[in-house]
Amino acid sequence: MKKLRTALVMCLKAQGFIQDHEEAAKFNRKFAERGVADAQYSLGGMYALGEGVIQDYKEAAKWYRKAAEQG
C-alpha cells in the first residue's frame, strides 16, 4: 500500500496539486475528516511513517481504525 500511496502523491505532485508530503497530509486529512476510507487509511500510513506529519502511532491507529470500520 505504501507504493500506491507514494504513486498517488507523485501523480498529484506532477499535476501541480501538491508540492510535498506536508501538502499530501493536508489533502488526505481534508478527505479523511469527511469519511473517505482510502484517505483515512492513507493518513494513518503517513502518521505511522512520519511522512508530512510528526510520527505518531496513536494517531495512525486512530485513522486506520476509522478506515477499517468502513470495511
Side-chain angles (χ1 to χ4, degrees):
M1 204 64 188
K2 181 180 177 186
K3 288 182 182 181
L4 179 60
R5 184 173 54 254
T6 301
L8 176 60
V9 169
M10 291 183 75
C11 180
L12 291 171
K13 280 184 182 181
Q15 294 179 19
F17 289 108
I18 58 172
Q19 302 298 318
D20 55 32
H21 285 292
E22 285 183 28
E23 277 190 62
K26 289 176 188 175
F27 178 83
N28 277 324
R29 180 178 301 283
K30 178 180 176 179
F31 289 96
E33 289 175 346
R34 292 182 178 163
V36 178
D38 288 338
Q40 292 169 340
Y41 181 83
S42 184
L43 188 58
M46 296 185 91
Y47 273 106
L49 299 170
E51 292 180 346
V53 295
I54 296 173
Q55 191 172 38
D56 183 338
Y57 295 120
K58 186 175 180 178
E59 193 71 10
K62 173 185 125 178
W63 289 108
Y64 281 142
R65 191 174 304 109
K66 286 179 178 278
E69 287 170 356
Q70 295 187 65

